[in-house]
Amino acid sequence: MANNSGLFSLGRADISISAWVTAGGAGTFTDIGHLEGDAMLEFDREDLMEGSEQVLGSLFSEPIKFGARLKFAAKESSLDNMQKYLGQPAANLSGIVPNKTLLIGDPVATYYQIKVVTKGERTAQGATTAAAQTWTFWRMAIQKPEPLVMSKAKVRLLGFTLEAINDESVTTADKHGKVVNSGGN
């Protein structure tokens, strides 16, 4: 393959969240808003490496675990974002801006669809428009939130960590999610 700097990807991440919809259905996404720093998408994979007494190396490698995790810090600490950040049921949020109330009780198991849109690849070096690269995860769970700092010298951040959960309701190969490049030249 020839070198092609058009395949470099560079660009911010726009993150949207929706309630989980079975079978990878179209969710009703809401933009999380401004972020602080990078959004990080991490992948975990664990493999069983099996050997024997008769050989020095492994005889085979078999995947036994896979996971994806999205981490980001939201600068918009609205009560809508806070409700998700704290794992509270949607029913615990009431009112309209600026008069809203979030009741903080026991967290509940809630799943979300997440969409991350960034710039993707161009067809060639010097091409003027990059494709939009859209990562969609069907079923993600909020994990332990980062500490909430309240300060006169810093913007309050909601440090999110979301873990992809295998979505058995999806009947195609994308049980965790998918990434699509569209547009560009």
Side-chain angles (χ1 to χ4, degrees):
M1 176 179 212
N3 294 338
N4 182 354
S5 61
L7 298 180
F8 292 5
S9 295
L10 174 71
R12 70 175 198 233
D14 293 318
I15 299 174
S16 299
I17 192 166
S18 170
W20 173 59
V21 179
T22 61
T28 304
F29 287 92
T30 304
D31 193 315
I32 286 288
H34 289 282
L35 304 181
E36 172 77 15
D38 302 329
M40 296 188 314
L41 188 54
E42 301 173 346
F43 294 95
D44 292 328
R45 178 180 163 153
E46 187 177 326
D47 291 272
L48 171 67
M49 303 288 284
E50 192 62 37
S52 77
E53 286 295 316
Q54 287 72 30
V55 297
L56 296 178
S58 297
L59 294 170
F60 66 86
S61 172
E62 182 69 27
I64 58 172
K65 187 176 181 181
F66 177 79
R69 183 177 307 107
L70 176 64
K71 292 183 176 184
F72 61 91
K75 289 185 103 163
E76 297 185 21
S77 57
S78 67
L79 290 187
D80 294 270
N81 284 348
M82 188 81 66
Q83 174 257 324
K84 295 163 186 69
Y85 169 79
L86 294 174
Q88 297 300 302
N92 285 13
L93 181 62
S94 62
I96 54 174
V97 173
N99 301 311
K100 291 188 107 168
T101 300
L102 175 60
L103 304 177
I104 302 173
D106 291 338
V108 295
T110 306
Y111 300 109
Y112 297 99
Q113 286 182 339
I114 300 292
K115 188 183 300 183
V116 181
V117 180
T118 188
K119 289 182 182 176
E121 59 200 52
R122 296 166 172 27
T123 54
Q125 182 179 359
T128 56
T129 308
Q133 189 171 79
T134 304
W135 296 78
T136 307
F137 293 92
W138 307 127
R139 189 171 178 223
M140 292 193 95
I142 302 282
Q143 300 299 296
K144 181 181 176 185
E146 296 291 322
L148 189 60
V149 177
M150 298 175 198
S151 167
K152 71 177 185 178
K154 295 179 184 176
V155 171
R156 186 174 307 145
L157 301 174
L158 303 178
F160 281 90
T161 300
L162 294 106
E163 188 82 27
I165 307 296
N166 188 312
D167 191 344
E168 294 178 332
S169 72
V170 174
T171 59
T172 51
D174 51 337
K175 300 287 188 195
H176 295 281
K178 66 180 179 181
V179 59
V180 175
N181 276 355
S182 56
N185 65 5

